[in-house]
Amino acid sequence: MDRKEILSKKKRIVIKVGTTTITYEETGNINLDKLEKFVRILINLRNQGKEVIVVSSGAVGVGRNALGLDHRPDTEAEKQACAAVGQGRLMMIYEKLFNEYSQLTAQVLLTKESVTNEECRKNARQTFNALLNMHVVPIVNENDAISVDELAYGNFGDNDTLAANVAELVEADLLILLSDIEGMYTADPKSNPNARFIHTVVEIDEKLEQMAGGSSSDFGTGGMATKVNAAKVATRAGADMVIANGDNIYAINDIMSGKKVGTLFLSREHGKELENELAPELAQFRRQVKRQKKMEENVDGKLYGNTW
């Protein structure tokens, strides 16, 4: 089974769109042109008989603009107020766009308790299943207006984690994370010209997590570490996951058709059928590697292979 065959068979799909995907960086306002294209893509997936769940960022930014704030919220209370104002406006835009295709939507606001408390988790799953059975598209966000760092449950912290938990909760086949990065590299491509793009990951091991930068590096805190953690949650639950750049919203169609777009993290089931795949090394880098291997051979006659 190849990449195309694996992805084309997906039926229940969770798609997370980041703030940078659906807003203008300069103003923070909603990019209506892109959001309309996004909705049209989702409708086409629905027309193919697939079930779609959207995890959407952007509420805080929309609320901030509506309130006329020229700075990021300084306090948790300000952030929650922005989220409360922005979530309604964001949902209104989604509803208007989906309504053009006679597609019903539902707003689902979750807290960490929704997926960690057994009774809440059961009720949340039943709600999602009922909505999907009624051919409704759930649009999910964290309930920022009331979410707090509770000792018992905590909060999601970011929508990558939220999306992974939703994928696990609804037993999704596929999770797509759209943000401002192309996918995963063997190192930070901004600082390392020899960094290679990772097309396919069959297992998330310690080496891969180090590639993500860890929690203390600029690269990691920029989002890759949280995405790898999200991949661990999703793939453990049996869902494959793709990280891709949302700058081109049509990347969703490319992913579903099996093209090598973004980084594909395979669940345990599919990880047995494919292998880790990296983009080719740069020519200059290949020469460096060959020289290094030759030096190592001269030292002890032994080659040190790279499992990646």
Side-chain angles (χ1 to χ4, degrees), residues 78-91:
E78 279 190 352
K79 177 185 175 184
Q80 291 174 326
C82 289
V85 172
Q87 186 62 39
R89 287 181 167 242
L90 183 61
M91 194 64 202

Side-chain angles (χ1 to χ4, degrees), residues 16 48 250 262 275 279:
K16 174 257 177 179
Q48 295 170 34
Y250 292 111
E275 297 180 348

Side-chain angles (χ1 to χ4, degrees), residues 15-18 20-22 31 33-42 45 94 176 178-179 244-255 261:
I15 302 177
K16 174 257 177 179
V17 284
T20 55
T21 299
I22 62 172
N31 185 333
D33 182 52
K34 184 181 284 188
L35 198 61
E36 184 176 5
K37 292 174 182 176
F38 175 55
V39 168
R40 194 157 60 243
I41 290 168
L42 298 181
L45 290 176
Y94 271 118
I176 299 175
L178 295 179
S179 63
N245 195 325
D247 187 50
N248 175 16
I249 201 67
Y250 292 111
I252 298 171
N253 291 336
D254 292 335
I255 290 168
V261 174

Side-chain angles (χ1 to χ4, degrees), residues 180-196:
D180 57 354
I181 57 176
E182 302 291 336
M184 189 170 180
Y185 289 81
T186 55
D188 183 355
K190 294 179 181 178
S191 58
N192 187 345
N194 296 325
R196 296 170 65 189

Side-chain angles (χ1 to χ4, degrees), residues 218-265:
D218 290 338
F219 192 38
T221 54
M224 185 52 71
T226 62
K227 287 173 175 56
V228 170
N229 286 333
K232 289 167 70 174
V233 173
T235 55
R236 255 198 321 260
D240 299 318
M241 190 187 99
V242 177
I243 301 172
N245 195 325
D247 187 50
N248 175 16
I249 201 67
Y250 292 111
I252 298 171
N253 291 336
D254 292 335
I255 290 168
M256 297 307 301
S257 64
K259 293 181 180 179
K260 287 184 181 179
V261 174
T263 299
L264 170 63
F265 292 80

Side-chain angles (χ1 to χ4, degrees), residues 158-172:
D158 61 86
N159 274 1
D160 294 328
T161 302
L162 170 61
N165 277 273
V166 169
E168 179 185 31
L169 179 69
V170 303
E171 298 179 336

Side-chain angles (χ1 to χ4, degrees), residues 9-14 167 171-175 238-241:
K9 292 182 177 180
K10 300 303 184 185
K11 178 172 176 58
R12 182 169 289 189
I13 306 159
V14 176
E171 298 179 336
D173 303 313
L174 176 65
L175 169 61
D240 299 318
M241 190 187 99

